[in-house]
Amino acid sequence: MERPAWAPQGIDITVPSVSRIYDYYLGGSHNFEVDREAARKAMEFMPGLPKIMQANRAFMRRAVRYAVEQGITQFLDIGSGIPTFGNVHEVAQNACPGARVVYVDHDPVAVAHSRAVLEGNENAGIVAADLRKPRDILGSSEVERLLDLERPVALLLVAVLHFLEDADEPYRAVAELRDALAPGSLLVATHASYEGIPLRPEQAGGAVGVYKDIRNPLIMRSRDEIARFFEGFDMVKPGLVDMPLWRPDTSPEDEDPYAFSGFAGVGRIA
């Protein structure tokens, strides 16, 4: 397999990556055939996966605009993936030109491409780190350079928590990040769930099995389990809801049924 010029040296381009699969679902070009093959396998069970990812992105954009409306101009996006059109820094800096954004991802392709996209943008940066190790993120030079943790920050955990198994202690990781943030900070999160998927659970489970096969298990949690991530936060109305129902720009009745697969919410530290 020929290595594209944008692919960093040292990564195994024969192994699928969830960041690159996500990029494929969104219509991006920074993915390999091995990623596309895994995505197509998952879509055999759950053909609406691209619609789910689009709903994730649409919620993220609404939540970022909401944060700016609340006076928040600092954003920490963990599990940011490969930048595509309408990413956090574009939405935030369009609403507030001085907004500062730090992206975090552990996929070398996502990190390399983020650096290329952000070149020349003094108010945005990328950190190569993992959500499982909050101290590495909080102590990074880019966080220290761009974010003032004494002031409110919008912490984005969009479509990433469901890739942490219980053994990874995801609730501890979120709590550690929460405790480092100032009052008025926001948690913006989405999470996959069997609740709301317009399929029988066993069929949806086939798509989950594809992620398990590529050693990136997709952990489907219940609404109550997802709500636990917001402990210590006051939920912003309308609370933890189906993604299209969080402060929609258009009528949710016009949404594809797959867009209601998973939950989204925003919480504020009092």
Side-chain angles (χ1 to χ4, degrees), residues 26-116:
L26 291 173
S29 59
H30 288 79
N31 48 76
F32 307 132
E33 179 55 32
V34 68
D35 305 307
R36 296 187 285 274
E37 182 181 349
R40 288 191 290 265
K41 280 184 181 177
M43 288 170 64
E44 288 177 8
F45 298 99
M46 200 184 298
L49 277 166
K51 293 294 184 182
I52 298 173
M53 307 312 167
Q54 290 163 19
N56 259 286
R57 297 285 294 188
F59 160 75
M60 177 273 289
R61 290 191 287 268
R62 297 195 303 274
V64 168
R65 290 195 295 267
Y66 170 81
V68 174
E69 290 168 3
Q70 299 302 303
I72 294 178
T73 58
Q74 304 187 104
F75 297 83
L76 179 58
D77 183 3
I78 303 177
S80 52
I82 296 167
T84 54
F85 178 75
N87 216 312
V88 173
H89 74 282
E90 293 175 329
V91 178
Q93 292 175 355
N94 182 58
C96 175
R100 294 175 171 241
V101 179
V102 175
Y103 292 115
V104 180
D105 208 285
H106 63 53
D107 184 323
V109 170
V111 172
H113 193 54
S114 296
R115 286 200 177 109

Side-chain angles (χ1 to χ4, degrees), residues 102-157:
V102 175
Y103 292 115
V104 180
D105 208 285
H106 63 53
D107 184 323
V109 170
V111 172
H113 193 54
S114 296
R115 286 200 177 109
V117 168
L118 299 175
E119 187 174 359
N121 189 331
E122 290 300 316
N123 286 334
I126 177 71
V127 176
D130 194 306
L131 173 55
R132 298 170 183 85
K133 299 179 179 179
R135 291 182 186 177
D136 290 351
I137 297 170
L138 296 168
S140 67
S141 59
E142 287 296 84
V143 166
E144 291 180 356
R145 179 176 75 87
L146 288 167
L147 304 183
D148 177 1
L149 298 183
E150 298 299 316
R151 295 173 46 240
V153 173
L155 168 64
L156 285 86
L157 300 175

